[in-house]
């Protein structure tokens, strides 16, 4: 394992629901980490500042007492120890973050819905909390829909805008130009503030985009564990990933057209997997996806980062 900022210091792992999160793979990875690690909320954005409720509507559900309650779209940062008291004085005058006290440790998480407005102000507020907690590096997680088969290993790609990170991990800089999500905005601001960043992206089969993809979530966590050089508990992800693949196999077995299409994807994937072809082929696939869906963010995730990266 290379000696990188991701194996030392305080790390923030980031995922947003929405455009960057096909098959809920990226947000699923952070949720899995949240369930397995001893983390607690340390900051939450004010939804009134950053969300258009006609675009990101609040959800109503029954709570444990049988009462109907609303859950508003938001973004929360989790820290590795339980906060003891709320410190209103720690909130910057120009920040819309509710910050709690708590001891510092190694891994922090950011999870929530991609904001629908005021991205620059949102970025300033998030960076305020990052700096206030002494976080030294960030890994951004994302997932995109692609023409890939569910029967093969999920393609996971990495990239970084930081030259030292690229050298240490032998990864590449993204060559993508076009529309981006909040990950790119946060990443650029973090690098400008001297915080090392990188991105991990997974490809999700587009023909199963309506359901969560635990296999892609597991692949992201596998790569994250490799990068940060720690053991990350998997919980039920391994069995869920197996069940997911088995379920799609069963559907394909009842649909000749779907089965034939998957076979075509398998042949294409097996060809692309040669080392000399993979980088170019994946870059072309990503660009094709953006051309197909950059005006339809609700269909899944396009992206900010990884292309062209290394598996």
């Amino acid at each position: 394992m290379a000696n990188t900022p991701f194996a030392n210091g305080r790390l923030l792992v980031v995922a947003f629901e929405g455009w960057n999160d096909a098959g809920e793979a990226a947000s699923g990875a952070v949720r899995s980490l949240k369930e397995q690690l001893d983390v607690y909320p340390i900051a939450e954005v004010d939804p009134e500042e950053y969300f258009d409720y006609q675009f990101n509507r609040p959800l109503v559900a029954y709570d444990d007492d049988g009462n109907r309650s609303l859950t508003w779209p938001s973004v929360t940062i989790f820290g590795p120890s339980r906060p003891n008291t709320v410190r209103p004085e720690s909130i910057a005058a120009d920040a819309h973050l509710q910050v709690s006290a708590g001891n510092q440790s190694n891994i922090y998480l950011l999870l929530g819905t991609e904001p629908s407005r005021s991205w620059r102000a949102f970025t300033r507020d998030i960076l305020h909390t990052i700096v206030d907690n002494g976080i030294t590096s960030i890994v951004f997680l994302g997932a995109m829909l692609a023409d890939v088969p569910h029967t093969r290993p999920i393609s996971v790609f990495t990239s970084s805008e930081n030259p030292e990170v690229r050298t240490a991990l032998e990864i590449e800089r993204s060559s993508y130009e076009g529309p981006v999500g909040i990950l790119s905005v946060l990443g650029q601001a973090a690098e400008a503030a001297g915080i090392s960043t990188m991105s991990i992206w997974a490809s999700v089969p587009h023909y199963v985009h309506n359901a969560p993809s635990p296999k892609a979530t597991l692949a992201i966590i596998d790569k994250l564990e490799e990068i940060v050089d720690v053991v990350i508990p998997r919980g039920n992800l391994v069995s869920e990933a197996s069940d997911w693949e088995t379920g799609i196999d069963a559907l394909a077995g009842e649909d000749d057209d779907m089965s034939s299409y998957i076979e075509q994807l398998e042949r294409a994937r097996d060809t692309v997997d040669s080392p000399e072809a993979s980088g170019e082929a994946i870059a072309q696939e990503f660009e094709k996806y953006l051309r197909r869906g950059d005006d339809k963010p609700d269909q899944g995730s396009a992206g900010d980062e990884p292309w062209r990266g290394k598996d």
Side-chain angles (χ1 to χ4, degrees), residues 169-185:
L169 296 178
E170 297 182 343
I171 62 177
E172 298 179 21
R173 186 181 190 181
S174 172
S175 62
Y176 169 71
E177 296 180 281
V180 298
I182 191 63
L183 295 182
S184 281
V185 179

Side-chain angles (χ1 to χ4, degrees), residues 116-138:
S116 50
R117 62 188 180 204
S118 304
W119 281 14
R120 286 183 285 191
F122 175 86
T123 298
R124 288 194 297 268
D125 287 352
I126 295 298
L127 278 179
H128 171 82
T129 300
I130 289 171
V131 172
D132 191 51
N133 283 275
I135 292 167
T136 56
S137 59
I138 305 175

